[in-house]
Amino acid sequence: MKFHTSAAFVIAASLLHISSNDGYSSQGGVNAYSFTPQSRRDIRSSPAFVGLGPSRGTLNQNGKSLAKSSSLVMKETNEKFSLSSLFGNSSKAKKASNTQQSKVATAPTTTAVMDPHPSVRDHINPLNQMHPSKIKMASSFSEPNSLPIHPNIRSGVLDNGLSYVILPNKSPAGRFEAHLQVFSGSADELEPQQGIAHLTEHVAYMGSRKRERLFGTGSQTNAYTDFHHTVFYAACPTYTPRSNGNIPMLPMALDALCDVMEARVEPSRLEKERQAVLSEMTMVNTIEYRVECQILATLHRENRLAKRFPIGKESLIRSWQTDDVKTWHRTHYRPDNVLLYIVGDVNPEEAEKIIEEKFGHITAEKQAKEIKLQELKPEASKLADAIVRGKDVIKARQSWHYPPIKHEWSFGSNPEFVESFKISPEEEKSNREIYDLQLQNSYDLDESVEFLTTTEIVPGKKIRPHIFRHELLQAFSFHLFAKRPVEPINNIESFRRSLARRVALAALQIRLNVGGRSDDPAFTFVEFNQLDSAREGCAICSLDMTAEPHRWREAVCKAISEVRKLGVHGVTPSEMERYASALMTDAEQLAAQGDRISNGDQLSYLMETIANGHTFMSPEQSYEITRKALSTLTLEEVNEAAKKLCAHVTCINENEPANDGVVIVTACSPKGPEPGDAAYCDEESLVKTVYEACQIEVEPEEDVPVPHTLITEDDLKKFMEEYPPSWESGKFTDGTPDTPADKLTRPFTLRRLSNGIRVGVGSNPAESQRGHLRITAPGGRDAEKRLGLKLGSMAVGSRTMQEGGAFGPWTREQVELFCVDHLLMVEINCSEEALMIDFVFPTTNVGNVGFGDDIQLGITGTEAVLQIVREIIVGFHWEEDALGRSKQSYRSAHESLQKNLEGKSTETIMETMTNSDKRFLSVDVATVNSITLEDAKTAIMSQLYPENIEISAAGDFDVQGVLDMILKYIGTIPTNANSEYRLKAKDAEDSVDKQFGSIPTLEKPGKFLELELTDSDPRAVAYVAGAAPNMWGTLADGSTVAERVMAADKGQSDYDRRRRSHPLFANVALSLLSEIINRRLFSNVRERKQLTYDANFSLTGFERLKGGWFLVTVTASKEKAQAALEACKETLEALRKSSKVTADNLESAKRVVLNRHDGELRSSSYWTALMSGIQEESIPLKGPLSVTDFNAVVEAITVKDLQLTLECLGLEDDELYTAIGRTVAPEGYVPDNEIVKASPMAGMGRGGALTG
């Protein structure tokens, strides 16, 4: 059950957006300019947004590029509509400028004429297919095969050239998001400006006083910088809270974004943000980050991206003054170079008026006047000329969203697209002599790196290899890439091709996941995908894989052979049927969700769709197009798509003709192995292995028979006869009366089955046609100690179950394909206190065969899940090969932990605080190796007896219908199921002891720990930790927060006593306190003292164990680590004594907590988390009241409550445990003091091994 269906349908989704994510959440939570890692797999595929595969540029109906010249674009227009605004330096913009100039001319104190802006050039309007002219043409049905555009979308261009797009969306009602996208990022930086786009983003938004007006309103603000753009956003309620006057917030949000366009660059703010960025450079520089740097630099060696990573050069960042930042800002933050998005509960007509009011006065000429460094104007002008001059520059030729780069295309690209970007060697040489746009020459600030060469293995077949070795690497990783032009999806034909690609990609990924996991798999992870990337201006086809170092050759050959098999033989008829049906179900779910898709999701898809020139459709429109396309999609079309996807691999075979593309290969390997060692890999052996792998003969895939149901009706009838089920009342420990066994209750129906299994079911229509189910079995790693199980057996056993999946007569492969057919995702985890098995599933009929009138419906996803739940409990097969994969996973995880500064530091402080209690530490290699299959099986099955199981389900379904299915499938499990595995607690005499103990008592005084990790790059992390209650307010000694608060407040009223006696009081108080502490840490440690990029306070969140810990984590330079640690301690002390919680602090925190709760209620997974443990005696304060009374308890909390709750944390100086982890250079390492490394943003993962 390792397979997650996200691999099947979340394939070939619209571009992965990966970028540096900066900003403080004005809700109160600290996002404090943190780079947010996002995998390519994070973007869900959706026909509703046509982000299904390769996206497209601006093409006409014949597939010819319209971006080639301005005249070509002009010719396509309707004469009644002026297309002048398709260009940033349009006549409208010039008219606005002239109007502005004429106004200025009448003022006696100003100059009559302004200088032109050095960077403004005629260019494609960034609205692409969402330009008003395109929408008008689409609505007129001038092209019968064109895709329909979302009927509610509205776009426009102001007279000054600023473009905007508005999408009304009431999910959630009463909120909206506004995003300002500036089409300049690190790829636009000049040589002395490396890193300035990112620094300017910090200064522009963090320095905005109008942004500060959004604080305390329940708004969130943030910003991020990438290669190709900088984005600022505000997510707000439509009106301020009543306590703030109930004022419309769209004007306030646009004020803040307009303030970004006219940013003041104050010296004090510049210095604060300089220190934040410098701290950030240290924080993000993990080994995973450095691997991603190597991959991206190799992949884009032929263009600017290899030398223009967003975080920039440290030496430059330290040197810039206000004029440097203001020069960058005024050069790039101009109306023709931005696009404003508004999505949410807004009136489009009113929004357009506000946009004009707030942004209409800004002009490029006005910005040009404030460019401070005049000597950079000519350089900026040269860069702008080079961008629009080159026929091969994708920014000017295809989409203004793209970076100003060119690409070396790989085999398998669309020939027409490749031809449209091609220039002669003479023209390329001439362009480069005029201006080295792609930075192929050497420059003073370049890193001293080994020059990469492209190997021509045989005539016409080229591979660009690169090896990265480092002492912190534990596993071998392999990354093979092809770059292809982003193709358009704006008509039926292109849409069909995108569906064919998705089917082919899904087939290969499932083969790799299911068939590739043999008894002794060569690789530990593998993924193949192709996604459009606006940030890189191309479609990236990637094969990512990890393996044990000594088996790298075998793993490479296996992975490449699977790719070749798809390219040569295509998919089977059953695979075609399976994944086409999955795509149809996906489209149905999104159409059913309709206007319930969240603002954030809508905006993400809208931004990616516009960037790549796709047609943005409504979910209903997309469903109809998908239905029509899939009903006639042929196996031949899918196999043709498979052939093109894999062409860069299949073409390397010696029997295939030569091509003019290049294949990019990067391998990352531990330092140490020498030539001759099986683990040694260099460029020559890497190229040789790839070539040899492409010569291996491949056979067609064989179909595996997949059951349509795991349990037949006859089986169910037999179960009902042997073990007649019935319902019993739900019972609670929070004071709630028993719930009836025969009636539905709200918001959840809570009951127990006659066999002892607790059940909670709730209807959540917010996620249309989707559901979430969780099995909870209290125990977890605490059971290892309490029941005398073998150390690590619960953890390794849960992973073994995840790696396995054979039930009854069915093999693992059949069960996994059953999950694929029914769109089920299964995840099994073991925490310190529970075993949890989570399922995500469709609530409609799935596994269907055929389309339209010929469709044969399968069972519902809900029923499929319940069949698997039953089999997990009573019919699971434990397999040695699954144990082997589980043990390898834990070995790798532990070994990697020892080479990770944050991981090793956290482990060290936890080891000290717990006195080496294994329940709270990672499972070491020796422990993993000692665990047998019987150990793993005994541990897990000892928890899976009916009396210990709770099942919580929420989704878009009929509650009574789900209860009826649960009664049949789960109620018929025998009461004594797995009784042979039940164990007594070591100190119990007559029965199994279910009582959870406490966390270890912290010894006094606390300790200060220092540790070192060998690493060539300097980094540091510091921690402050201590005792805390669990999330329900119980401390390690058994006392509670409520008891301590009431004992401390001698003058409390009866009302206060009743409030504090509520089961949810401590839970809510701790949540609010966490928000306030995080805000204080941000203000003091980052803003005032400028010691860090980020400091974070968190609680362990145990529910069953008594007690817990708090942990403050702060990243800093090695030199500032001690000062940062002391500043965190000072912040906590001040909150207790000199700078206590204020009413404003509390009100802001309440808005954060309530908004987060309201937002998460849209998620069925949140509902199941709320229900889990609600009938469990080991969480006595968790019950129905914790759900029904949440808002009331939050609103009733007072400042005094929080101040007294704070005293329940171990914050005295002798109670604190502190630690600093630092890196030390390897022996003999000589640092390069002359050149400071440029680092790309954290989280630039290209999926697969980098983000797994």
Side-chain angles (χ1 to χ4, degrees):
M1 290 182 299
K2 183 174 179 64
F3 173 67
H4 290 196
T5 51
S6 55
F9 328 100
V10 189
I11 283 184
S14 174
L15 149 83
L16 165 72
H17 169 71
I18 313 168
S19 61
S20 63
N21 189 7
D22 304 314
Y24 180 79
S25 166
S26 57
Q27 260 195 328
V30 176
N31 295 347
Y33 284 98
S34 61
F35 276 137
T36 300
Q38 298 182 29
S39 163
R40 288 190 189 279
R41 295 172 292 165
D42 288 342
I43 305 297
R44 186 184 59 196
S45 164
S46 165
F49 304 98
V50 199
L52 308 176
S55 307
R56 60 161 179 214
T58 309
L59 301 178
N60 66 11
Q61 60 188 352
N62 299 317
K64 302 298 183 183
S65 173
L66 296 180
K68 188 174 181 180
S69 70
S70 58
S71 60
L72 218 63
V73 179
M74 291 279 196
K75 289 178 182 176
E76 194 186 358
T77 185
N78 185 319
E79 287 184 2
K80 295 181 180 180
F81 185 88
S82 171
L83 276 187
S84 58
S85 56
L86 275 173
F87 301 95
N89 197 25
S90 63
S91 58
K92 275 192 175 184
K94 291 172 181 174
K95 178 181 176 182
S97 173
N98 292 336
T99 302
Q100 179 75 12
Q101 291 171 17
S102 65
K103 290 178 181 178
V104 171
T106 62
T109 60
T110 58
T111 305
V113 179
M114 295 183 183
D115 292 334
H117 195 287
S119 295
V120 172
R121 301 292 184 276
D122 285 354
H123 61 78
I124 305 169
N125 184 279
L127 284 167
N128 289 338
Q129 292 298 311
M130 294 301 103
H131 193 276
S133 64
K134 299 287 186 180
I135 295 175
K136 186 174 183 179
M137 280 192 285
S139 64
S140 67
F141 298 102
S142 58
E143 297 184 28
N145 290 325
S146 63
L147 297 177
I149 292 177
H150 196 300
N152 298 331
I153 202 83
R154 179 177 294 215
S155 65
V157 183
L158 299 184
D159 285 346
N160 63 4
L162 184 141
S163 302
Y164 62 86
V165 59
I166 304 167
L167 179 66
N169 189 61
K170 294 189 177 182
S171 182
R175 290 193 69 85
F176 69 90
E177 292 193 24
H179 289 225
L180 182 71
Q181 185 177 23
V182 181
F183 297 108
S184 294
S186 61
D188 299 275
E189 294 166 347
L190 300 172
E191 187 67 10
Q193 294 179 320
Q194 295 179 63
I196 205 165
H198 180 219
L199 180 61
T200 302
E201 168 231 307
H202 277 245
V203 173
Y205 218 15
M206 293 298 287
S208 169
R209 291 181 176 83
K210 292 181 180 178
R211 182 183 73 94
E212 293 175 359
R213 296 175 190 169
L214 303 180
F215 292 178
T217 64
S219 299
Q220 292 173 302
T221 62
N222 218 320
Y224 51 89
T225 300
D226 206 334
F227 286 130
H228 63 311
H229 67 193
T230 304
V231 180
F232 304 83
Y233 70 83
C236 310
T238 50
Y239 292 91
T240 59
R242 291 180 182 177
S243 58
N244 290 358
N246 209 32
I247 301 167
M249 284 208 65
L250 182 59
M252 295 172 64
L254 295 191
D255 266 338
L257 295 178
C258 184
D259 212 24
V260 166
M261 293 288 290
E262 300 178 295
R264 296 170 299 279
V265 183
E266 299 170 344
S268 60
R269 175 52 61 183
L270 172 59
E271 194 54 40
K272 286 181 180 181
E273 299 314 316
R274 187 201 316 278
Q275 296 306 317
V277 169
L278 291 172
S279 176
E280 179 180 13
M281 293 182 80
T282 301
M283 182 189 75
V284 302
N285 196 28
T286 64
I287 186 58
E288 295 81 11
Y289 174 85
R290 282 172 260 176
V291 165
E292 292 160 3
C293 296
Q294 295 289 326
I295 290 172
L296 284 166
T298 306
L299 179 59
H300 298 297
R301 181 58 67 186
E302 76 274 16
N303 63 50
R304 294 178 69 87
L305 301 190
K307 293 185 180 182
R308 288 292 186 268
F309 292 118
I311 210 161
K313 305 280 190 180
E314 182 179 348
S315 57
L316 293 176
I317 293 169
R318 290 186 183 279
S319 70
W320 289 322
Q321 301 303 311
T322 55
D323 284 355
D324 297 282
V325 174
K326 198 160 189 176
T327 292
W328 168 267
H329 181 277
R330 297 307 196 258
T331 300
H332 297 277
Y333 287 57
R334 57 183 198 271
D336 74 290
N337 200 42
V338 300
L339 175 54
L340 176 67
Y341 302 82
I342 298 175
V343 174
D345 192 358
V346 298
N347 180 299
E349 289 80 11
E350 291 180 5
E352 284 189 303
K353 292 177 183 177
I354 298 170
I355 293 170
E356 173 67 45
E357 175 190 338
K358 300 298 181 184
F359 292 93
H361 66 283
I362 303 172
T363 66
E365 288 77 9
K366 179 181 176 182
Q367 300 294 78
K369 185 180 178 182
E370 298 183 16
I371 293 176
K372 296 297 183 180
L373 301 181
Q374 295 299 313
E375 64 271 21
L376 287 184
K377 276 190 173 183
E379 292 302 314
S381 185
K382 289 177 185 177
L383 174 62
D385 286 337
I387 290 172
V388 299
R389 180 193 308 117
K391 181 182 175 184
D392 55 349
V393 179
I394 56 175
K395 182 180 181 75
R397 300 304 164 189
Q398 190 167 7
S399 174
W400 198 246
H401 294 248
Y402 292 169
I405 58 175
K406 70 168 188 176
H407 289 293
E408 291 181 9
W409 304 115
S410 301
F411 195 60
S413 303
N414 184 314
E416 289 188 11
F417 279 87
V418 172
E419 188 64 31
S420 69
F421 294 113
K422 186 175 289 186
I423 63 175
S424 67
E426 294 76 21
E427 186 178 356
E428 181 176 8
K429 181 181 178 182
S430 174
N431 287 344
R432 183 170 167 181
E433 288 174 350
I434 297 172
Y435 191 86
D436 182 20
L437 180 61
Q438 303 309 329
L439 304 179
Q440 296 303 289
N441 298 329
S442 295
Y443 297 92
D444 291 342
L445 289 171
D446 286 353
E447 291 186 44
S448 52
V449 297
E450 183 179 346
F451 183 73
L452 297 179
T453 58
T454 299
T455 302
E456 190 168 34
I457 45 180
V458 295
K461 299 182 181 183
K462 295 177 288 186
I463 295 179
R464 181 194 300 164
H466 177 56
I467 306 292
F468 173 57
R469 300 182 186 87
H470 200 280
E471 60 270 6
L472 293 185
L473 288 174
Q474 183 65 32
F476 172 90
S477 67
F478 172 83
H479 313 274
L480 184 148
F481 299 105
K483 294 201 287 187
R484 293 167 179 145
V486 173
E487 298 185 32
I489 304 175
N490 55 10
N491 54 41
I492 298 298
E493 290 76 16
S494 56
F495 190 82
R496 288 172 65 88
R497 288 195 296 273
S498 74
L499 292 178
R501 276 192 296 273
R502 291 184 67 195
V503 170
L505 284 165
L508 178 55
Q509 189 58 54
I510 302 311
R511 289 180 189 178
L512 292 168
N513 283 356
V514 179
R517 295 194 303 121
S518 59
D519 291 350
D520 186 24
F523 38 69
T524 54
F525 172 86
V526 63
E527 180 180 76
F528 183 83
N529 211 341
Q530 179 168 306
L531 295 173
D532 297 339
S533 174
R535 66 188 298 271
E536 294 160 281
C538 62
I540 304 287
C541 186
S542 59
L543 173 64
D544 296 294
M545 180 205 73
T546 58
E548 295 179 65
H550 68 281
R551 300 185 65 184
W552 73 267
R553 288 179 175 83
E554 180 186 358
V556 168
C557 288
K558 174 65 175 174
I560 286 179
S561 291
E562 288 294 335
V563 176
R564 287 197 66 244
K565 184 194 294 185
L566 179 72
V568 173
H569 299 293
V571 306
T572 68
S574 64
E575 286 176 322
M576 164 78 178
E577 180 181 286
R578 175 175 298 124
Y579 304 120
S581 174
L583 292 177
M584 192 66 250
T585 301
D586 200 33
E588 288 173 356
Q589 289 180 347
L590 282 163
Q593 202 164 357
D595 59 3
R596 285 173 288 182
I597 299 171
S598 71
N599 292 338
D601 285 345
Q602 290 275 32
L603 205 144
S604 294
Y605 290 121
L606 179 61
M607 290 180 73
E608 292 302 332
T609 299
I610 291 178
N612 291 303
H614 295 326
T615 299
F616 183 76
M617 296 188 286
S618 70
E620 297 79 10
Q621 290 170 327
S622 182
Y623 168 73
E624 284 301 320
I625 297 296
T626 302
R627 184 181 61 80
K628 291 177 182 178
L630 287 177
S631 66
T632 57
L633 190 68
T634 66
L635 184 63
E636 290 72 25
E637 287 177 275
V638 172
N639 286 341
E640 180 62 25
K643 181 179 178 181
K644 290 180 178 178
L645 278 170
C646 306
H648 60 295
V649 173
T650 56
C651 75
I652 299 177
N653 185 272
E654 60 187 7
N655 296 318
E656 295 295 323
N659 66 82
D660 59 357
V662 62
V663 174
I664 302 102
V665 182
T666 301
C668 303
S669 171
K671 233 176 202 179
E674 298 293 334
D677 191 317
Y680 182 76
C681 177
D682 60 12
E683 280 82 357
E684 182 180 354
S685 59
L686 181 63
V687 170
K688 181 180 179 183
T689 301
V690 170
Y691 180 74
E692 290 175 350
C694 292
Q695 312 313 312
I696 298 172
E697 289 298 320
V698 290
E699 299 295 329
E701 183 77 2
E702 292 185 8
D703 271 331
V704 175
V706 182
H708 291 287
T709 181
L710 299 177
I711 299 173
T712 66
E713 286 295 329
D714 290 342
D715 291 334
L716 268 181
K717 184 177 180 182
K718 180 182 176 182
F719 300 152
M720 295 286 284
E721 291 172 352
E722 291 180 350
Y723 305 101
S726 62
W727 287 110
E728 297 178 356
S729 300
K731 300 180 184 299
F732 314 98
T733 54
D734 71 334
T736 302
D738 293 355
T739 52
D742 57 350
K743 293 183 180 178
L744 302 182
T745 54
R746 306 189 79 173
F748 311 129
T749 296
L750 303 163
R751 301 177 183 174
R752 301 192 184 197
L753 288 162
S754 52
N755 59 12
I757 294 177
R758 300 159 173 81
V759 175
V761 180
S763 174
N764 176 32
E767 290 188 314
S768 297
Q769 299 186 6
R770 296 179 185 178
H772 188 277
L773 183 145
R774 170 174 288 182
I775 302 174
T776 305
R781 296 210 62 196
D782 181 68
E784 295 173 0
K785 179 178 181 179
R786 183 162 37 91
L787 302 180
L789 295 166
K790 195 160 190 177
L791 286 177
S793 58
M794 280 297 300
V796 173
S798 65
R799 181 73 184 195
T800 301
M801 182 173 273
Q802 178 85 64
E803 293 287 343
F807 304 143
W810 312 114
T811 66
R812 174 181 59 81
E813 290 81 4
Q814 288 176 308
V815 172
E816 291 191 350
L817 289 173
F818 175 84
C819 290
V820 172
D821 284 355
H822 295 83
L823 313 189
L824 311 182
M825 290 186 280
V826 187
E827 186 170 1
I828 304 174
N829 291 295
C830 176
S831 70
E832 292 90 344
E833 50 183 10
L835 173 71
M836 290 171 289
I837 308 176
D838 288 284
F839 301 85
V840 178
F841 56 92
T843 57
T844 53
N845 296 89
V846 283
N848 306 329
V849 178
F851 296 94
D853 295 336
D854 299 325
I855 194 170
Q856 299 176 30
L857 296 177
I859 62 175
T860 65
T862 313
E863 189 167 6
V865 161
L866 291 173
Q867 290 183 356
I868 290 180
V869 169
R870 179 187 175 91
E871 291 301 309
I872 284 175
I873 298 171
V874 300
F876 190 82
H877 294 178
W878 290 83
E879 302 167 314
E880 284 285 354
D881 65 310
L883 175 68
R885 291 191 292 273
S886 171
K887 292 169 77 169
Q888 178 55 43
S889 173
Y890 271 98
R891 282 192 293 263
S892 297
H894 183 76
E895 290 168 352
S896 296
L897 185 72
Q898 305 311 306
K899 294 186 176 184
N900 178 279
L901 182 64
E902 290 79 5
K904 187 176 181 180
S905 301
T906 304
E907 182 89 343
T908 300
I909 198 170
M910 287 301 298
E911 187 174 17
T912 304
M913 288 198 301
T914 64
N915 196 21
S916 300
D917 191 322
K918 298 295 185 182
R919 292 175 296 171
F920 307 102
L921 304 177
S922 65
V923 188
D924 61 62
V925 173
T927 300
V928 170
N929 290 340
S930 70
I931 295 171
T932 66
L933 186 65
E934 191 61 30
D935 294 332
K937 178 180 179 181
T938 298
I940 297 299
M941 301 313 291
S942 72
Q943 308 301 297
L944 290 178
Y945 56 93
E947 188 183 336
N948 196 49
I949 294 173
E950 182 178 46
I951 294 175
S952 308
D956 183 19
F957 47 51
D958 174 65
V959 171
Q960 186 60 57
V962 172
L963 288 169
D964 292 343
M965 281 192 280
I966 290 174
L967 188 69
K968 290 190 298 181
Y969 283 107
I970 311 303
T972 54
I973 293 173
T975 304
N976 64 351
N978 299 325
S979 59
E980 67 272 26
Y981 297 102
R982 291 186 66 174
L983 300 171
K984 295 180 180 179
K986 289 186 291 185
D987 56 353
E989 296 180 2
D990 300 321
S991 62
V992 175
D993 182 3
K994 297 183 186 177
Q995 296 304 311
F996 282 78
S998 302
I999 66 166
T1001 302
L1002 287 179
E1003 296 179 358
K1004 290 185 181 181
K1007 297 179 180 178
F1008 171 63
L1009 310 170
E1010 290 186 281
L1011 63 93
E1012 295 179 339
L1013 180 72
T1014 302
D1015 186 358
S1016 55
D1017 287 18
R1019 302 182 64 237
V1021 60
Y1023 298 92
V1024 180
N1030 71 12
M1031 68 180 294
W1032 294 98
T1034 303
L1035 288 93
D1037 62 3
S1039 64
T1040 68
V1041 167
E1043 292 169 350
R1044 291 194 178 190
V1045 168
M1046 288 189 284
D1049 187 7
K1050 303 299 184 182
Q1052 66 181 338
S1053 65
D1054 289 340
Y1055 170 68
D1056 287 335
R1057 188 175 291 104
R1058 290 196 303 272
R1059 283 191 308 103
R1060 292 163 177 170
S1061 297
H1062 193 286
L1064 197 57
F1065 169 77
N1067 180 288
V1068 167
L1070 289 167
S1071 295
L1072 293 169
L1073 199 54
S1074 295
E1075 293 297 332
I1076 292 170
I1077 294 173
N1078 271 315
R1079 177 68 205 187
R1080 290 291 184 89
L1081 287 168
F1082 181 88
S1083 298
N1084 186 41
V1085 187
R1086 183 192 188 279
E1087 286 283 277
R1088 188 166 70 84
K1089 293 183 177 289
Q1090 301 172 26
L1091 293 171
T1092 183
Y1093 172 78
D1094 187 26
N1096 178 263
F1097 173 90
S1098 61
L1099 295 165
T1100 47
F1102 298 137
E1103 291 196 273
R1104 301 165 183 85
L1105 289 165
K1106 298 179 180 68
W1109 299 282
F1110 71 84
L1111 185 69
V1112 177
T1113 306
V1114 58
T1115 58
S1117 66
K1118 292 174 65 173
E1119 297 76 19
K1120 293 183 177 180
Q1122 186 67 50
L1125 187 152
E1126 295 300 328
C1128 290
K1129 291 171 60 178
E1130 173 192 299
T1131 302
L1132 296 174
E1133 181 68 9
L1135 194 58
R1136 294 178 64 205
K1137 298 178 179 179
S1138 61
S1139 182
K1140 296 183 178 182
V1141 176
T1142 68
D1144 285 345
N1145 294 158
L1146 175 58
E1147 187 61 30
S1148 179
K1150 285 180 178 180
R1151 299 283 74 77
V1152 174
V1153 170
L1154 289 172
N1155 285 335
R1156 183 167 58 226
H1157 177 68
D1158 290 344
E1160 289 179 335
L1161 281 174
R1162 298 175 49 79
S1163 163
S1164 293
S1165 62
Y1166 185 61
W1167 282 51
T1168 59
L1170 292 175
M1171 285 188 279
S1172 294
I1174 212 167
Q1175 298 186 68
E1176 200 180 306
E1177 292 83 357
S1178 55
I1179 315 178
L1181 295 181
K1182 188 172 186 178
L1185 294 178
S1186 64
V1187 179
T1188 58
D1189 295 358
F1190 183 84
N1191 284 37
V1193 173
V1194 171
E1195 294 291 3
I1197 293 289
T1198 67
V1199 167
K1200 192 171 189 178
D1201 292 333
L1202 296 191
Q1203 205 66 54
L1204 293 174
T1205 299
L1206 184 63
E1207 295 305 311
C1208 297
L1209 275 59
L1211 294 175
E1212 295 291 346
D1213 197 56
D1214 66 345
E1215 296 176 307
L1216 295 178
Y1217 281 68
T1218 57
I1220 295 179
R1222 296 182 178 91
T1223 59
V1224 293
E1227 186 176 349
Y1229 175 74
V1230 179
D1232 187 344
N1233 294 320
E1234 298 300 320
I1235 300 173
V1236 180
K1237 286 190 175 181
S1239 303
M1241 301 131 16
M1244 278 183 157
R1246 192 172 298 292
L1250 302 182
T1251 56

